[in-house]
Amino acid sequence: ADVEAGKAKAAVCAACHGQNGLAQIPTYPNLAGQNEQYLVSAIKAYKNKQRTGGQAAIMQGQAAALSDTDIANLAAYFASLPADGGK
Amino acid sequence: ADVEAGKAKAAVCAACHGQNGLAQIPTYPNLAGQNEQYLVSAIKAYKNKQRTGGQAAIMQGQAAALSDTDIANLAAYFASLPADGGK
């Protein structure tokens, strides 16, 4: 996976999940430092509409446009960020 | 929510999500320092079977036995843990 490509693709994610992968909205998850394989699994579950409830409809829409390569790159990018936001 | 009650209830969670909330299994998410309201939302989505796919069946089973109070306490406990595992 390509972390830099993931970073470029992640611009839209920052609105909810934060520039540093720490969500500013308490109903949204932090992504920084999350396990890469879990992130891939979660994004695909949204894309496949296997995750509903909560804010899932938003992520279903976001994930619909992502290719498997995009998903892999985004997961690698967020997994690479420090879990504490780099403090 | 009661962090100490959540900690007591979290013993079973540690097998997959780690003693310190950092999952040792890469397909599972870290929970340490995650947003409390997101954790409540996610656990309830598993309990209500709104999350499927991936490892969701495991969490559906785990969440089935949890009351709303249990869920609130668990979420408060994992949110209280340092996201970097306290390193």
Side-chain angles (χ1 to χ4, degrees):
Chain A
D2 182 335
V3 169
E4 283 305 312
K7 181 176 182 177
K9 199 83 187 177
V12 69
C13 311
C16 294
H17 293 287
Q19 287 286 351
N20 57 359
L22 299 184
Q24 299 305 303
I25 304 168
T27 48
Y28 293 174
N30 302 324
L31 302 180
Q34 188 53 274
N35 288 328
E36 184 173 346
Q37 287 184 45
Y38 170 72
L39 290 173
V40 168
S41 170
I43 298 170
K44 289 186 175 177
Y46 286 117
K47 183 177 178 180
N48 297 334
K49 302 190 190 306
Q50 293 174 307
R51 281 193 176 189
T52 59
Q55 309 294 319
I58 297 170
M59 277 302 300
Q60 288 181 9
Q62 294 294 330
L66 300 175
S67 69
D68 283 358
T69 300
D70 292 335
I71 292 170
N73 293 345
L74 284 165
Y77 170 63
F78 282 110
S80 78
L81 298 177
D84 65 356
K87 68 186 172 189
Chain B
D2 182 335
V3 169
E4 284 304 313
K7 181 176 183 178
K9 199 81 186 178
V12 69
C13 311
C16 294
H17 293 287
Q19 287 286 350
N20 57 0
L22 299 184
Q24 299 305 302
I25 304 169
T27 48
Y28 293 173
N30 301 325
L31 303 180
Q34 188 53 274
N35 287 328
E36 182 173 345
Q37 287 184 44
Y38 170 72
L39 290 174
V40 168
S41 171
I43 298 170
K44 288 185 175 178
Y46 286 117
K47 182 176 179 180
N48 298 335
K49 303 190 190 305
Q50 293 174 310
R51 282 192 175 190
T52 59
Q55 308 296 320
I58 298 171
M59 277 302 300
Q60 287 181 10
Q62 293 295 330
L66 300 174
S67 69
D68 282 359
T69 300
D70 292 334
I71 292 169
N73 293 345
L74 284 165
Y77 170 63
F78 282 109
S80 78
L81 298 177
D84 64 356
K87 68 186 174 192

